[in-house]
Amino acid sequence: MRGVQVTTPVGWRVDDGEHLFTAVLGAAPQRRQLGSGPQGRGIEKRILNGIISLPQALSFTTALASPALRDCPSWVGFSKCILSLSFGRISRVGPVRVRCAAASSPRGRERLSGKNMANEEALAAKLAEMTLMKKEQSPQEKPLFSFGVITDIQYADIDDGKSFQGVPRYYRHASEVLERAVDAWNKHGNLAFAVHFGDIVDGFCPKEQSKQAFERILSELANFERGPVYHMLGNHCLYNLPRQELNQFLNIPTSGLHSYYSFSPNNEFLFVVLDGYDVSALGWPADHPHTAAAMELLNTRNPNKEKNSPEGLVGVERRFVKFNGGVGDEQLAWLENTLREAQEAQQKVIICCHLPMDPGASFPSALLWNYDAVLAVVHKFNCVVACFAGHAHEGGHSVDSHGVHHHVLEAVLECPPGSDAYGYVNVFSDHLSLCGTDRMRSYDMNFQSSGMHPSHSLN
């Protein structure tokens, strides 16, 4: 066995995250060692791919243990493990930051107090040290370029609240998360640009404070020293300001009222930014044709008087709510022409949109209204390798039937004080590597040179 080893007073023993993990279960010194046999290697592989990726993260709670792991003979007794705790992800953005948080159960919170808390924090610090040592010892391929990512800040100078589903929202703390994100991006030193995926200011922001709130967040984003910050419209943006003002505020490089565009950071990649509220009941004048088309669609597909409610709608039909939107015919034609030109130029394409476009990556009520029509255009070509989105705050990932990655980023708004959700993406010729911080999960998204049938792994 090679690599750094550490034994802690609470019974954890780890090396460099690839070869050995030993945990002391219960009060008796029972040990389960991974990687020591065929079953062990299988368990280790599943942990590294799905639950744990040491030393980047360490998460062990009984709720997180999958039935597949619990049913393995080498994993007998795990459900009785007294180590009910959860370590936050060790960030790879800027200086290593370690967060240690109790599990959701009272028993977990009870065990992470006093001396035990100190022990767990010591282990987390050791894992952070191992991360840096491993990075220094293992030279890595240099990316073509890298860019920062963040979404759904939804700042407002109001007290904390909850979503309609009861999920806590931390409006003021959102600006602190952004400050840390920009600081980390600057310290990274090699980010070519950053992308915010919509919803800068929350809809509950008092309307007389909307412009001030936008100015505060945009001034913080302006502290990013390495390159431009690209934006797209979200529903909460449109709750606060009309689209024409938003295009100006966000420096969206388009003429008129359109809010879709593309940019190319190098000859090999093209970014396409879609306007998911092109056809929408939000942001357009009341007598605009896009408003009329949106209301006709909602009245046809959603029988509820309250059009923000998906009550009674089933499956993907739940997407027909007022806080979503669609891509219009003119934008679809532009997208098709843009992708055709990209394929002819042998460019790989990354699509950005506030609204998710694949049911596998998001809950149905967050989807783009005509995601199927957009994907029909995307699937005509083999140049699109990934679609990134926000809006669905808990995040998600899928690979569609044509091998395109769909990744939904976790929201800043739902980060409790002391936690974060931001990251950066390393772009390579054959894959993307999302390096997330804390609540933003890391992913590797692999694709073939043709852009078809990529694979992914959770880091």
Side-chain angles (χ1 to χ4, degrees), residues 148-185:
V149 291
I150 194 167
T151 194
D152 294 82
I153 297 172
Q154 293 182 225
Y155 166 76
D157 187 14
I158 58 176
D159 293 338
D160 295 342
K162 292 183 178 181
S163 70
F164 292 116
Q165 292 76 35
V167 179
R169 293 183 164 183
Y170 306 92
Y171 300 105
R172 293 192 180 101
H173 178 251
S175 67
E176 298 177 25
V177 177
L178 176 60
E179 289 175 12
R180 291 192 288 269
V182 173
D183 183 61
W185 293 342

Short mmCIF file of all heavy atoms in Angstrom, two decimals, residues 148-185:
data_model
loop_
_atom_site.label_atom_id
_atom_site.label_comp_id
_atom_site.label_asym_id
_atom_site.label_seq_id
_atom_site.Cartn_x
_atom_site.Cartn_y
_atom_site.Cartn_z
N GLY A 148 -15.35 30.13 -14.69
CA GLY A 148 -16.10 30.05 -13.45
C GLY A 148 -17.59 29.88 -13.69
O GLY A 148 -18.13 30.34 -14.72
N VAL A 149 -18.28 29.22 -12.76
CA VAL A 149 -19.72 29.01 -12.88
C VAL A 149 -20.40 29.30 -11.54
O VAL A 149 -19.89 28.98 -10.48
CB VAL A 149 -20.08 27.58 -13.34
CG1 VAL A 149 -19.67 27.37 -14.78
CG2 VAL A 149 -19.43 26.53 -12.44
N ILE A 150 -21.59 29.90 -11.64
CA ILE A 150 -22.41 30.18 -10.47
C ILE A 150 -23.82 30.43 -10.96
O ILE A 150 -24.02 30.84 -12.11
CB ILE A 150 -21.85 31.41 -9.69
CG1 ILE A 150 -22.47 31.51 -8.29
CG2 ILE A 150 -22.07 32.71 -10.48
CD1 ILE A 150 -21.73 32.48 -7.38
N THR A 151 -24.81 30.18 -10.12
CA THR A 151 -26.19 30.38 -10.57
C THR A 151 -27.12 30.69 -9.42
O THR A 151 -26.82 30.39 -8.26
CB THR A 151 -26.72 29.14 -11.33
OG1 THR A 151 -27.92 29.49 -12.01
CG2 THR A 151 -26.99 27.97 -10.38
N ASP A 152 -28.25 31.31 -9.77
CA ASP A 152 -29.36 31.56 -8.84
C ASP A 152 -28.89 32.18 -7.53
O ASP A 152 -29.13 31.64 -6.45
CB ASP A 152 -30.14 30.26 -8.59
CG ASP A 152 -30.84 29.76 -9.85
OD1 ASP A 152 -30.18 29.10 -10.69
OD2 ASP A 152 -32.03 30.05 -9.99
N ILE A 153 -28.23 33.32 -7.65
CA ILE A 153 -27.82 34.06 -6.45
C ILE A 153 -29.06 34.56 -5.73
O ILE A 153 -29.19 34.43 -4.51
CB ILE A 153 -26.89 35.22 -6.84
CG1 ILE A 153 -25.61 34.69 -7.49
CG2 ILE A 153 -26.56 36.08 -5.62
CD1 ILE A 153 -24.71 35.75 -8.08
N GLN A 154 -29.96 35.20 -6.47
CA GLN A 154 -31.25 35.66 -5.95
C GLN A 154 -31.11 36.48 -4.68
O GLN A 154 -31.82 36.29 -3.69
CB GLN A 154 -32.21 34.48 -5.77
CG GLN A 154 -32.60 33.86 -7.11
CD GLN A 154 -33.60 32.73 -7.02
OE1 GLN A 154 -33.43 31.70 -7.67
NE2 GLN A 154 -34.65 32.90 -6.25
N TYR A 155 -30.18 37.41 -4.73
CA TYR A 155 -29.95 38.30 -3.59
C TYR A 155 -31.15 39.22 -3.37
O TYR A 155 -31.83 39.64 -4.30
CB TYR A 155 -28.70 39.14 -3.83
CG TYR A 155 -28.57 40.31 -2.87
CD1 TYR A 155 -28.15 40.11 -1.55
CD2 TYR A 155 -28.90 41.60 -3.28
CE1 TYR A 155 -28.06 41.17 -0.67
CE2 TYR A 155 -28.81 42.68 -2.41
CZ TYR A 155 -28.40 42.45 -1.11
OH TYR A 155 -28.31 43.50 -0.24
N ALA A 156 -31.41 39.55 -2.12
CA ALA A 156 -32.36 40.60 -1.74
C ALA A 156 -32.03 41.03 -0.32
O ALA A 156 -31.61 40.20 0.51
CB ALA A 156 -33.80 40.12 -1.84
N ASP A 157 -32.19 42.29 -0.04
CA ASP A 157 -31.92 42.80 1.31
C ASP A 157 -33.18 42.64 2.16
O ASP A 157 -33.81 43.59 2.59
CB ASP A 157 -31.50 44.27 1.23
CG ASP A 157 -31.05 44.81 2.60
OD1 ASP A 157 -30.81 43.99 3.51
OD2 ASP A 157 -30.95 46.05 2.74
N ILE A 158 -33.53 41.36 2.37
CA ILE A 158 -34.71 41.00 3.16
C ILE A 158 -34.34 39.82 4.05
O ILE A 158 -33.32 39.16 3.86
CB ILE A 158 -35.91 40.63 2.27
CG1 ILE A 158 -35.56 39.46 1.33
CG2 ILE A 158 -36.38 41.84 1.47
CD1 ILE A 158 -36.73 38.99 0.48
N ASP A 159 -35.19 39.56 5.04
CA ASP A 159 -34.94 38.45 5.95
C ASP A 159 -35.05 37.12 5.22
O ASP A 159 -35.72 37.01 4.18
CB ASP A 159 -35.92 38.48 7.12
CG ASP A 159 -35.72 39.68 8.03
OD1 ASP A 159 -34.59 40.25 8.02
OD2 ASP A 159 -36.68 40.06 8.73
N ASP A 160 -34.39 36.09 5.78
CA ASP A 160 -34.45 34.76 5.20
C ASP A 160 -35.90 34.28 5.11
O ASP A 160 -36.76 34.66 5.92
CB ASP A 160 -33.66 33.77 6.04
CG ASP A 160 -32.17 34.08 6.06
OD1 ASP A 160 -31.72 34.83 5.16
OD2 ASP A 160 -31.46 33.59 6.95
N GLY A 161 -36.16 33.44 4.12
CA GLY A 161 -37.52 32.92 3.93
C GLY A 161 -37.48 31.48 3.47
O GLY A 161 -36.50 30.76 3.68
N LYS A 162 -38.55 31.05 2.84
CA LYS A 162 -38.66 29.69 2.35
C LYS A 162 -39.33 29.69 0.98
O LYS A 162 -40.09 30.59 0.64
CB LYS A 162 -39.47 28.82 3.32
CG LYS A 162 -38.80 28.58 4.66
CD LYS A 162 -39.62 27.65 5.54
CE LYS A 162 -38.92 27.39 6.86
NZ LYS A 162 -39.70 26.47 7.74
N SER A 163 -39.02 28.65 0.21
CA SER A 163 -39.69 28.47 -1.07
C SER A 163 -41.11 27.98 -0.83
O SER A 163 -41.51 27.70 0.30
CB SER A 163 -38.93 27.45 -1.92
OG SER A 163 -39.07 26.15 -1.36
N PHE A 164 -41.88 27.85 -1.92
CA PHE A 164 -43.25 27.35 -1.79
C PHE A 164 -43.26 25.91 -1.28
O PHE A 164 -44.26 25.44 -0.74
CB PHE A 164 -43.98 27.43 -3.14
CG PHE A 164 -44.24 28.84 -3.59
CD1 PHE A 164 -43.66 29.34 -4.75
CD2 PHE A 164 -45.06 29.68 -2.85
CE1 PHE A 164 -43.90 30.64 -5.17
CE2 PHE A 164 -45.31 30.98 -3.25
CZ PHE A 164 -44.73 31.47 -4.41
N GLN A 165 -42.13 25.20 -1.47
CA GLN A 165 -42.02 23.83 -0.97
C GLN A 165 -41.44 23.78 0.44
O GLN A 165 -41.21 22.71 0.98
CB GLN A 165 -41.14 23.00 -1.91
CG GLN A 165 -41.74 22.74 -3.28
CD GLN A 165 -41.67 23.95 -4.19
OE1 GLN A 165 -40.71 24.71 -4.14
NE2 GLN A 165 -42.67 24.14 -5.02
N GLY A 166 -41.15 24.93 1.03
CA GLY A 166 -40.64 24.98 2.39
C GLY A 166 -39.14 24.91 2.52
O GLY A 166 -38.61 24.76 3.63
N VAL A 167 -38.40 25.03 1.41
CA VAL A 167 -36.93 24.98 1.46
C VAL A 167 -36.41 26.35 1.91
O VAL A 167 -36.78 27.37 1.32
CB VAL A 167 -36.35 24.63 0.08
CG1 VAL A 167 -34.82 24.59 0.14
CG2 VAL A 167 -36.89 23.29 -0.39
N PRO A 168 -35.54 26.39 2.93
CA PRO A 168 -35.01 27.68 3.40
C PRO A 168 -34.23 28.41 2.32
O PRO A 168 -33.52 27.80 1.52
CB PRO A 168 -34.09 27.27 4.56
CG PRO A 168 -34.61 25.95 5.02
CD PRO A 168 -35.08 25.26 3.77
N ARG A 169 -34.36 29.75 2.33
CA ARG A 169 -33.65 30.60 1.39
C ARG A 169 -32.96 31.72 2.17
O ARG A 169 -33.56 32.31 3.06
CB ARG A 169 -34.61 31.16 0.34
CG ARG A 169 -35.16 30.07 -0.56
CD ARG A 169 -36.05 30.60 -1.67
NE ARG A 169 -36.24 29.58 -2.70
CZ ARG A 169 -36.92 29.76 -3.83
NH1 ARG A 169 -37.48 30.93 -4.07
NH2 ARG A 169 -37.01 28.79 -4.71
N TYR A 170 -31.70 31.99 1.77
CA TYR A 170 -30.85 32.90 2.54
C TYR A 170 -30.46 34.08 1.65
O TYR A 170 -29.42 34.09 1.00
CB TYR A 170 -29.63 32.15 3.04
CG TYR A 170 -29.99 30.90 3.83
CD1 TYR A 170 -30.10 29.66 3.19
CD2 TYR A 170 -30.26 30.96 5.19
CE1 TYR A 170 -30.46 28.52 3.90
CE2 TYR A 170 -30.61 29.83 5.91
CZ TYR A 170 -30.71 28.61 5.26
OH TYR A 170 -31.05 27.49 5.96
N TYR A 171 -31.35 35.08 1.63
CA TYR A 171 -31.24 36.16 0.65
C TYR A 171 -30.00 37.02 0.84
O TYR A 171 -29.30 37.33 -0.12
CB TYR A 171 -32.50 37.02 0.70
CG TYR A 171 -33.77 36.26 0.40
CD1 TYR A 171 -34.66 35.91 1.42
CD2 TYR A 171 -34.07 35.85 -0.89
CE1 TYR A 171 -35.81 35.20 1.16
CE2 TYR A 171 -35.24 35.13 -1.17
CZ TYR A 171 -36.10 34.81 -0.13
OH TYR A 171 -37.24 34.09 -0.41
N ARG A 172 -29.72 37.45 2.05
CA ARG A 172 -28.56 38.32 2.29
C ARG A 172 -27.26 37.52 2.20
O ARG A 172 -26.26 38.02 1.69
CB ARG A 172 -28.68 39.01 3.64
CG ARG A 172 -29.83 40.02 3.74
CD ARG A 172 -29.73 40.87 4.99
NE ARG A 172 -30.83 41.83 5.07
CZ ARG A 172 -31.90 41.67 5.83
NH1 ARG A 172 -32.03 40.58 6.60
NH2 ARG A 172 -32.85 42.59 5.86
N HIS A 173 -27.28 36.32 2.71
CA HIS A 173 -26.06 35.49 2.68
C HIS A 173 -25.61 35.21 1.26
O HIS A 173 -24.42 34.96 1.01
CB HIS A 173 -26.31 34.18 3.42
CG HIS A 173 -25.13 33.26 3.42
ND1 HIS A 173 -25.09 32.08 2.70
CD2 HIS A 173 -23.92 33.35 4.03
CE1 HIS A 173 -23.94 31.48 2.87
NE2 HIS A 173 -23.20 32.23 3.68
N ALA A 174 -26.53 35.28 0.30
CA ALA A 174 -26.18 35.00 -1.09
C ALA A 174 -25.06 35.91 -1.59
O ALA A 174 -24.19 35.47 -2.35
CB ALA A 174 -27.42 35.15 -1.97
N SER A 175 -25.06 37.17 -1.15
CA SER A 175 -24.00 38.08 -1.59
C SER A 175 -22.65 37.68 -1.01
O SER A 175 -21.60 37.90 -1.64
CB SER A 175 -24.34 39.52 -1.21
OG SER A 175 -24.34 39.70 0.20
N GLU A 176 -22.64 37.09 0.19
CA GLU A 176 -21.39 36.64 0.80
C GLU A 176 -20.82 35.44 0.03
O GLU A 176 -19.61 35.33 -0.15
CB GLU A 176 -21.62 36.28 2.27
CG GLU A 176 -22.09 37.44 3.13
CD GLU A 176 -22.37 37.01 4.55
OE1 GLU A 176 -21.77 36.00 5.01
OE2 GLU A 176 -23.19 37.67 5.23
N VAL A 177 -21.71 34.55 -0.40
CA VAL A 177 -21.26 33.41 -1.22
C VAL A 177 -20.62 33.93 -2.50
O VAL A 177 -19.56 33.46 -2.92
CB VAL A 177 -22.43 32.47 -1.54
CG1 VAL A 177 -21.95 31.33 -2.45
CG2 VAL A 177 -23.03 31.89 -0.26
N LEU A 178 -21.25 34.91 -3.13
CA LEU A 178 -20.70 35.48 -4.36
C LEU A 178 -19.33 36.10 -4.11
O LEU A 178 -18.41 35.93 -4.92
CB LEU A 178 -21.65 36.53 -4.93
CG LEU A 178 -21.14 37.27 -6.17
CD1 LEU A 178 -20.87 36.30 -7.32
CD2 LEU A 178 -22.13 38.36 -6.60
N GLU A 179 -19.16 36.81 -3.02
CA GLU A 179 -17.86 37.41 -2.70
C GLU A 179 -16.78 36.33 -2.61
O GLU A 179 -15.68 36.50 -3.13
CB GLU A 179 -17.94 38.18 -1.39
CG GLU A 179 -18.75 39.47 -1.47
CD GLU A 179 -18.91 40.14 -0.12
OE1 GLU A 179 -18.19 39.73 0.82
OE2 GLU A 179 -19.74 41.06 0.00
N ARG A 180 -17.11 35.23 -1.95
CA ARG A 180 -16.13 34.14 -1.83
C ARG A 180 -15.86 33.50 -3.19
O ARG A 180 -14.73 33.09 -3.48
CB ARG A 180 -16.62 33.11 -0.82
CG ARG A 180 -16.63 33.61 0.62
CD ARG A 180 -16.82 32.49 1.62
NE ARG A 180 -18.17 31.94 1.62
CZ ARG A 180 -19.15 32.37 2.40
NH1 ARG A 180 -18.95 33.39 3.22
NH2 ARG A 180 -20.35 31.79 2.36
N ALA A 181 -16.90 33.42 -4.02
CA ALA A 181 -16.72 32.84 -5.36
C ALA A 181 -15.75 33.68 -6.18
O ALA A 181 -14.81 33.16 -6.79
CB ALA A 181 -18.07 32.73 -6.07
N VAL A 182 -15.98 34.98 -6.22
CA VAL A 182 -15.12 35.86 -7.00
C VAL A 182 -13.70 35.84 -6.47
O VAL A 182 -12.73 35.82 -7.24
CB VAL A 182 -15.69 37.30 -7.01
CG1 VAL A 182 -14.72 38.27 -7.67
CG2 VAL A 182 -17.03 37.33 -7.74
N ASP A 183 -13.56 35.82 -5.16
CA ASP A 183 -12.22 35.75 -4.57
C ASP A 183 -11.52 34.46 -4.97
O ASP A 183 -10.33 34.47 -5.33
CB ASP A 183 -12.34 35.85 -3.04
CG ASP A 183 -10.98 35.85 -2.35
OD1 ASP A 183 -10.18 36.76 -2.61
OD2 ASP A 183 -10.73 34.92 -1.56
N ALA A 184 -12.25 33.35 -4.94
CA ALA A 184 -11.66 32.06 -5.32
C ALA A 184 -11.30 32.05 -6.80
O ALA A 184 -10.24 31.54 -7.19
CB ALA A 184 -12.63 30.93 -5.00
N TRP A 185 -12.17 32.59 -7.65
CA TRP A 185 -11.87 32.65 -9.08
C TRP A 185 -10.60 33.46 -9.35
O TRP A 185 -9.77 33.07 -10.15
CB TRP A 185 -13.05 33.26 -9.84
CG TRP A 185 -14.29 32.43 -9.86
CD1 TRP A 185 -14.41 31.10 -9.59
CD2 TRP A 185 -15.60 32.90 -10.16
NE1 TRP A 185 -15.71 30.70 -9.71
CE2 TRP A 185 -16.48 31.77 -10.05
CE3 TRP A 185 -16.14 34.14 -10.50
CZ2 TRP A 185 -17.84 31.88 -10.29
CZ3 TRP A 185 -17.51 34.24 -10.74
CH2 TRP A 185 -18.35 33.12 -10.63
#
